[in-house]
Amino acid sequence: MTTEHLVLNPATEEVVATVPAATPADVDAAVTRAAEAQRGWAAAAPADRARLLRRFATVVDEHVEELARLEVREAGHTLGNARWEAGNVRDLLDYAAGGVERLNGRQIPVPGGLDVTLLEPLGVIGVIAPWNFPMPIAAWGTAPALAAGNAVILKPAETTPLTALRLAGLALEAGLPEGLFQVLPGEGAVAGNALVEHPGVAKIVFTGSTRVGKRIMATCADRVKRVTLELGGKSPNIVFADADIEAAAAAAPLSFLDNAGQDCCARTRILVQRGAYDRFLELLTPAIEEIVVGDPSDEKTQMGPLISRVQLERVRSYVPEDAAGIRGKAPEGPGFWFPPTVLTGLPPDAPAAVEEVFGPVAVVLPFDDEEDAVRLANATEYGLSGSIWTRDVGRALRVSGAVRAGNLSVNSHSSVRYWTPFGGYKQSGLGRELGPDALTAFTETKNVFISTEA
């Protein structure tokens, strides 16, 4: 029996929409449709597939504002962020389309004949997207998978299905074949699990918690099913005393407050060399206090609400009422609001310092020297991203090599570009997304030897 799920506006707690939740039978039917559509899509000329993906990008571009406003209502993202996210879907589709006709195999020199490799699509891909960045992360898996000749079934998070459903409609409007890109809203334990277990799904792309990612990986291992996992993070922001302290302090707030801290790349562990520690906090305090938290549809707003009451209570549990630090302001009344918060004086192994809070909370920890900074930076189970602030190029290179994380920035906080690979070390995930090799992650390599001696 099909159930329904309420989609709430996290800024007001009002019901935005009621969406049917997919059942295992719905998943099975979707896989059948996808497999049929995929065969025709893979047989199409590469130029035709590229042309349709570019048309899809064009249609998304024509609806950027609509998609952004929908994201504001269902996810509480600031309007500026939501516009960027919709634009990122457009850009990623364009970028992936450019790879369709460049998905090349190799010719390998061998004696007695010609040896070539072919890159063939896997088939049906299951993409399980999170609620923190519903549009772009859905596109991270969907765009390159389609470009490589696969079909995609996207299961959005229960709280944020609306932009995904709209993107599926825009795909049809752009002319993509029926069944090639389907969206199945539903509970993770029901629709998501059915997608992971289905024998007709060749690969799962999952973004979410490490706990759930481990379960998905175990299920896929039992079926020898491919998997890409983008999981948790507890990223360091390392500030050396020789850095531009004013620039580092000015950039620090939005490195962990963007999307209300609901970002696996959030720089929530601010490590500051002792010689600069007091000055850094002196500059950070007004920067935190001045962050504008409020109505995400207001152009001036810099930070919106958390996604749900469950997430709000989780974040609260990490912040003792008497904890020292810096606190900003947040609205009172309806909505899942939590103020920007920086904690000081905590031990390096405190839960807020090593666990993923996934909210607008950062911890500032002092360090002595380069070796101490690297030790603290690596003292978590995660390894997704991080930042290094220094004027010393040699130090930037040494520390970049020593920090166990997949994505690092020097004198900036940039982590994700669709042109470059993204993924984590340790329990932050498995595999890489985006970048020039994204399409190959959705292919099977076939080797063909042709004898010239017959």
Side-chain angles (χ1 to χ4, degrees):
M1 182 177 69
T2 302
T3 59
E4 293 183 329
H5 185 79
L6 297 179
V7 179
L8 300 182
N9 183 331
T12 64
E13 303 184 53
E14 297 173 344
V15 176
V16 176
T18 303
V19 177
T23 66
D26 295 327
V27 172
D28 187 57
V31 173
T32 299
R33 291 192 298 270
E36 182 178 352
Q38 188 272 330
R39 287 189 288 271
W41 180 247
D48 292 337
R49 295 206 309 267
R51 190 176 300 111
L52 279 171
L53 287 175
R54 290 192 180 97
R55 175 58 187 157
F56 188 8
T58 298
V59 174
V60 169
D61 187 52
E62 293 167 353
H63 294 81
V64 161
E65 188 68 15
E66 175 197 346
L67 289 165
R69 298 281 177 177
L70 197 56
E71 189 85 314
V72 170
R73 292 198 299 276
E74 73 170 345
H77 291 190
T78 62
L79 184 55
N81 278 10
R83 286 170 175 154
W84 177 88
E85 290 165 40
N88 187 251
V89 175
R90 170 202 61 215
D91 295 342
L92 187 51
L93 285 166
D94 260 333
Y95 182 73
V100 174
E101 295 171 281
R102 296 172 180 81
L103 193 59
N104 303 319
R106 296 184 295 171
Q107 185 270 312
I108 302 172
V110 296
L114 176 71
D115 195 275
V116 295
T117 62
L118 309 175
L119 299 180
E120 299 181 342
L122 294 173
V124 178
I125 308 298
V127 176
I128 302 176
W131 49 257
N132 61 326
F133 291 104
M135 280 192 287
I137 294 181
W140 291 5
T142 298
L146 291 174
N150 301 279
V152 172
I153 299 174
L154 168 62
K155 199 219 72 82
E158 296 93 321
T159 49
T160 55
L162 302 182
T163 50
L165 288 166
R166 186 64 182 123
L167 285 171
L170 295 178
L172 291 175
E173 184 179 321
L176 267 66
E178 189 88 33
L180 186 70
F181 173 41
Q182 301 173 69
V183 173
L184 292 182
E187 301 291 328
V190 180
N193 191 58
L195 199 59
V196 171
E197 293 186 341
H198 201 288
V201 175
K203 178 174 180 174
I204 294 293
V205 179
F206 171 77
T207 300
S209 72
T210 298
R211 176 180 56 84
V212 175
K214 288 177 178 179
R215 290 208 305 265
I216 289 173
M217 187 176 181
T219 303
C220 288
D222 189 54
R223 291 154 179 78
V224 197
K225 182 177 297 189
R226 289 160 182 76
V227 62
T228 294
L229 303 174
E230 200 276 281
L231 307 176
K234 191 67 178 175
S235 300
N237 177 11
I238 308 170
V239 182
F240 287 94
D242 70 342
D244 182 336
I245 301 302
E246 287 74 15
L254 289 180
S255 77
F256 75 94
L257 296 177
D258 187 53
N259 199 25
Q262 299 167 128
D263 181 354
C264 50
C265 292
R267 272 58 164 183
T268 55
R269 304 171 69 236
I270 307 174
L271 313 179
V272 185
Q273 196 164 16
R274 290 189 191 278
Y277 186 85
D278 290 341
R279 177 59 177 158
F280 182 87
L281 284 182
E282 179 185 351
L283 293 166
L284 183 64
T285 298
I288 294 293
E289 293 174 345
E290 291 167 7
I291 291 290
V292 179
V293 183
D295 180 0
S297 64
D298 189 326
E299 302 270 5
K300 299 185 182 66
T301 296
Q302 294 171 284
M303 189 184 107
L306 294 167
I307 188 66
S308 66
R309 187 160 300 282
V310 170
Q311 190 62 21
L312 176 60
E313 295 306 321
R314 171 182 165 80
V315 173
R316 280 177 177 162
S317 72
Y318 280 98
V319 183
E321 290 186 7
D322 59 350
I326 310 163
R327 284 179 173 78
K329 301 179 180 67
E332 297 179 356
F336 310 123
W337 304 98
F338 195 86
T341 301
V342 176
L343 302 176
T344 58
L346 293 181
D349 60 351
V354 295
E355 297 178 14
E356 186 175 38
V357 177
F358 225 58
V361 178
V363 174
V364 183
L365 301 171
F367 68 85
D368 294 316
D369 54 22
E370 194 173 305
E371 182 180 357
D372 194 29
V374 170
R375 179 186 62 80
L376 283 171
N378 289 334
T380 77
E381 62 184 8
Y382 300 111
L384 186 57
S385 63
S387 297
I388 301 158
W389 291 79
T390 178
R391 289 187 172 97
D392 185 330
V393 175
R395 168 175 283 159
L397 293 174
R398 288 192 304 272
V399 175
S400 294
V403 173
R404 300 288 293 166
N407 309 271
L408 296 171
S409 298
V410 176
N411 297 327
S412 75
H413 294 301
S414 176
S415 290
V416 184
R417 295 180 175 88
Y418 60 83
W419 309 277
T420 58
F422 178 78
Y425 285 33
K426 301 188 284 186
Q427 295 198 38
S428 283
L430 184 69
R432 292 295 182 269
E433 298 180 281
L434 306 176
D437 300 323
L439 273 65
T440 61
F442 297 96
T443 63
E444 188 81 85
T445 300
K446 178 180 286 182
N447 193 76
V448 178
F449 171 75
I450 305 169
S451 174
T452 56
E453 298 179 349

